[in-house]
Amino acid sequence: MNEFITFLSENYLLILLLFFGFALTSQQDHIVGLFYGVKYLSPQEAVSYINSGAKVIDSRIESDFSKERLKGAIHFSSLKAANSELALKDNIILCCSSNDTGITQVKKLKELGYKNLFMITGGYQAWVDEGFPVIRRKK
């Protein structure tokens, strides 16, 4: 036990560095979001925003979008056609398959002038896992 205490006291900086490294890794999405000006929402929080009029843009591949999607979602490839439905001041929630692809889309939305950007933490799969409704294509 004394050896352990000695190790801790001699290596406290290393231990602190490891602790903060793990903490940052677990919050990676939120840190990246701050850098790009996007806030992450849990699926539950996203529902509140959607009920308050937020628009949903789905950045998954078109074949996945056509199979199933959130009600009212606009596919990212249709964004130019949907510009009449979206105002630059609207709250926009990005629904994606992974946060990496979402960040790419956030950059594009920022270039177009959109400011109030949000992403669903865990993307579309988190939405489905929480049991929230989706629209599925009839076979």
Side-chain angles (χ1 to χ4, degrees):
M1 184 67 169
N2 285 339
E3 294 168 352
F4 181 69
I5 293 171
T6 303
F7 174 80
L8 290 177
S9 65
E10 291 175 356
N11 295 292
Y12 69 92
L13 288 176
L14 175 64
I15 294 167
L16 281 173
L17 184 64
L18 286 172
F19 174 77
F20 284 117
F22 285 122
L24 288 175
T25 303
S26 69
Q27 297 298 315
Q28 177 184 3
D29 291 343
H30 298 282
I31 292 168
V32 170
L34 288 173
F35 182 73
Y36 288 106
V38 63
K39 179 182 177 193
Y40 283 83
L41 303 173
S42 69
Q44 296 86 353
E45 292 170 317
V47 168
S48 295
Y49 277 78
I50 293 168
N51 289 340
S52 297
K55 310 292 186 198
V56 178
I57 296 177
D58 194 320
S59 67
R60 296 174 303 136
I61 60 173
E62 196 148 1
S63 60
D64 288 346
F65 175 80
S66 66
K67 289 178 191 170
E68 58 184 51
R69 63 185 175 277
L70 280 67
K71 182 179 179 181
I74 301 164
H75 192 263
F76 194 84
S77 66
S78 306
L79 190 58
K80 288 180 184 173
N83 262 345
S84 61
E85 297 176 37
L86 299 172
L88 295 178
K89 63 179 176 34
D90 284 342
N91 286 329
I92 296 176
I93 300 173
L94 211 59
C95 180
C96 51
S97 55
S98 78
N99 291 337
D100 292 338
T101 59
I103 290 298
T104 302
Q105 306 307 344
V106 163
K107 290 179 192 176
K108 291 178 183 176
L109 288 168
K110 284 210 154 290
E111 288 171 6
L112 293 172
Y114 294 99
K115 293 177 178 40
N116 303 322
L117 302 174
F118 303 88
M119 286 179 61
I120 299 174
T121 301
Y124 182 80
Q125 192 59 51
W127 181 271
V128 172
D129 290 347
E130 289 291 328
F132 290 116
V134 295
I135 295 175
R136 290 190 169 88
R137 178 178 64 189
K138 295 180 182 175
K139 295 182 180 182

